[in-house]
Amino acid sequence: MMLELSGVSTGYGRTTVVHDVDLAVTEGTLTAVLGHNGAGKTTLLKAVLGLLPARSGTVRLAGEDITRRPTHRRVRAGIAYVPQGQQSFGQLTARENLQVVADAHGAAGRRRTDEALDLFPALRELLGRPAGLLSGGQRQQLAIARALVTGPRLLVLDEPAEGIQPNVVSEIYGAITALTTAGGLSALLVEQHLGYAVEHAAEYAVLASGRVSHRGTGGGAAAVAGAREAMAL
């Protein structure tokens, strides 16, 4: 198991937002966490990343207990994060956005940059353009490519489809699926727009008021319909 959460609760100040969540990401697969705004999805990701401490429960990465590890040690252990909102260094070019990360990884970083650009070939023509002038979909592809340059074992994404054209969303999910299918990468994402997520996920969980209200197996129209029904409850 690449990631395993057992009985995880977390929150802010005196308020517990996520309650006793069990969640697993099998190696080489995509797992999706679904839910409406305010369900606790991003808060749960922060517990995975160490940005919020777990008040109870355990977080394991590839079998190792990382519950008390700080965020930078989780990153070194192989977690890469793509936050919500297509974030980039707007004044830097797309090439410089990638190079900032690649330089820290030497020859492996340069190789991974080429591999990431192979996943998103449209970015090659935009490498000299300031990231702030890219479209939302292009910035999201750039953010994912930058995360992949680190060579992660687990890619964590927060609302990757938000505000992006459907054809670009399809490319993004296609790229993630290709990487997980090829092995060597697992992915966890949270999503409000569930169509693409459930279609490509091996498993999904629906979060409501910080608790898992439904679980299912992804893939195909029936799975999407079941997830929509669960979210409507």
Side-chain angles (χ1 to χ4, degrees), residues 62-183:
E64 294 186 28
D65 189 340
I66 63 169
T67 309
R68 303 303 171 199
R69 289 190 190 179
T71 300
H72 71 275
R73 290 188 61 194
R74 299 188 193 203
V75 171
R76 289 176 185 170
I79 298 179
Y81 178 43
V82 181
Q84 187 177 11
Q86 308 104 43
Q87 294 187 19
S88 61
F89 302 106
Q91 300 303 314
L92 301 181
T93 65
R95 178 182 288 105
E96 290 167 338
N97 267 264
L98 296 171
Q99 191 171 355
V100 163
V101 180
D103 284 350
H105 295 272
R110 292 189 291 274
R111 173 178 54 79
R112 293 175 195 143
T113 298
D114 285 336
E115 292 171 350
L117 290 173
D118 287 341
L119 283 172
F120 303 117
L123 286 179
R124 288 192 183 275
E125 300 179 4
L126 302 168
L127 289 176
R129 184 175 299 182
L133 298 182
L134 301 179
S135 69
Q138 291 163 348
R139 288 196 305 274
Q140 186 67 293
Q141 290 177 326
L142 179 61
I144 295 172
R146 192 173 60 229
L148 292 173
V149 171
T150 67
R153 293 190 288 172
L154 176 69
L155 181 65
V156 178
L157 305 104
D158 191 355
E159 302 268 11
E162 183 184 33
I164 297 177
Q165 293 180 339
N167 64 314
V168 179
V169 175
S170 182
E171 291 177 9
I172 288 172
Y173 274 100
I176 295 169
T177 301
L179 288 168
T180 55
T181 301

Side-chain angles (χ1 to χ4, degrees), residues 30-32 34 197-206 214-227:
L30 166 66
T31 295
L34 313 172
V198 174
E199 182 180 343
H200 289 83
E203 297 180 343
Y204 70 88
V206 176
H214 179 79
R215 301 179 191 274
T217 301
V224 173

